[in-house]
Amino acid sequence: MHDALVYSKDNYHSVASLYPDKPVVITEAGWATNSNGRGICPQNTSQELQAVYYADLMDWTGQEGILTFVFEAFDEPWKGSPDPLEPEKHWACSRWNREPKRVMQSLYPELLRQTQTA
């Protein structure tokens, strides 16, 4: 699991080394929470793993001052194949109905309270 951050760091540093005088922004980083096995092993996807990846990513990019955009805000059920477990549908920090996933619940516990009272 933590090797994923090594991969992200390697990608960042490979670009940053080519452009040492330019700021490098991570524009799309994320972790799928479901998979039907198409491109991603189902056992490598879960809300728990997504939360671990984001915690590691935010710790590293925060320490280094790297502007980072996570992918993405809301699941997109129309993406990919008709299979509901298609990984393309499940990269977001919240479900399609705006219900926060575990990663958002741990970062912003007030979102969970708002969802429960709405």
Side-chain angles (χ1 to χ4, degrees):
M1 170 66 232
H2 296 284
D3 290 342
L5 185 64
V6 172
Y7 178 78
S8 297
K9 286 180 177 182
D10 287 348
N11 283 321
Y12 172 83
H13 290 300
S14 69
V15 173
S17 69
L18 292 173
Y19 303 97
D21 299 324
K22 302 280 184 188
V24 176
V25 176
I26 298 173
T27 58
E28 194 172 291
W31 196 269
T33 56
N34 279 306
S35 178
N36 59 3
R38 183 175 173 243
I40 303 170
C41 293
Q43 60 268 32
N44 291 333
T45 62
S46 71
Q47 288 191 41
E48 292 77 14
L49 291 173
Q50 183 187 55
V52 170
Y53 176 76
Y54 277 126
D56 289 351
L57 179 70
M58 294 296 104
D59 286 347
W60 167 60
T61 57
Q63 289 171 9
E64 298 292 324
I66 300 167
L67 179 60
T68 303
F69 295 89
V70 298
F71 185 75
E72 59 200 318
F74 305 104
D75 280 342
E76 298 176 310
W78 57 87
K79 285 181 113 175
S81 74
D83 187 329
L85 292 179
E86 168 75 38
E88 285 296 316
K89 301 175 188 306
H90 300 281
W91 284 89
C93 298
S94 298
R95 292 178 186 83
W96 65 271
N97 63 357
R98 298 181 182 248
E99 180 183 333
K101 292 183 183 177
R102 183 173 302 234
V103 64
M104 294 303 287
Q105 294 171 12
S106 61
L107 292 173
Y108 303 100
E110 67 275 7
L111 289 177
L112 184 58
R113 287 191 296 275
Q114 289 173 3
T115 302
Q116 291 171 341
T117 60

